[in-house]
Amino acid sequence: MSEGLSRPVAGHVPVLRLGDVLLVTLQGELHDSMAFQLQQDLAETIVRSGVTGVVIDISGVEMVDSFLGRVLAEIAAQTELLAARTVVAGMRPAVAITLVELGLTLPGLRTALTTEAAMEYLVQPVVAPRSGGGREGSP
């Protein structure tokens, strides 16, 4: 996939490459086969292109269920294993309320109010967490 071009194929969710970030825009319902294909497309594109981030824009999603919550969590875990970060952008208040009511707080998944804020977050350098509180050589 070349930069700036999406792949609008029937039954596929378009994935747009913007520099080192992939942009996925979900509209309406995400069916099982589409979710599986999206996960495969993202993994293959991350490995092939070396992008470092994925933004999933869900501003077009009216309602969420446990399936979509699980798919988002799986995509985030998968992209992290492939050395990329995922940010979900554009969550509506009703969607956030529903996720909490379903007990799907999606730990480890970053969110942003807008796609622009998600892109800004992903272009920031990753700061490695400090390990342990002790000094070198201490027991």
Side-chain angles (χ1 to χ4, degrees), residues 77-90:
Q78 174 183 304
T79 58
E80 185 175 343
L81 288 172
L82 297 172
R85 298 180 290 167
T86 301
V87 179
V88 172

Side-chain angles (χ1 to χ4, degrees), residues 11 13 30-40 67 71 75:
V13 177
L30 186 66
H31 302 287
D32 292 4
S33 61
M34 289 174 65
F36 177 74
Q37 189 63 53
L38 175 60
Q39 288 175 312
Q40 276 197 277
F67 172 73
V71 168
I75 288 172

Side-chain angles (χ1 to χ4, degrees), residues 34-117:
M34 289 174 65
F36 177 74
Q37 189 63 53
L38 175 60
Q39 288 175 312
Q40 276 197 277
D41 289 349
L42 283 172
E44 290 170 7
T45 305
I46 290 166
V47 170
R48 185 176 58 250
S49 64
V51 296
T52 57
V54 175
V55 174
I56 302 174
D57 180 358
I58 63 169
S59 60
V61 174
E62 296 283 334
M63 290 305 294
V64 68
D65 58 10
S66 59
F67 172 73
L68 180 57
R70 191 181 82 240
V71 168
L72 293 174
E74 287 174 0
I75 288 172
Q78 174 183 304
T79 58
E80 185 175 343
L81 288 172
L82 297 172
R85 298 180 290 167
T86 301
V87 179
V88 172
M91 189 177 300
R92 295 171 185 243
V95 170
I97 291 167
T98 302
L99 284 172
V100 171
E101 287 174 347
L102 291 171
L104 300 170
T105 55
L106 307 175
L109 184 64
R110 294 274 184 197
T111 59
L113 293 177
T114 65
T115 301
E116 294 81 11

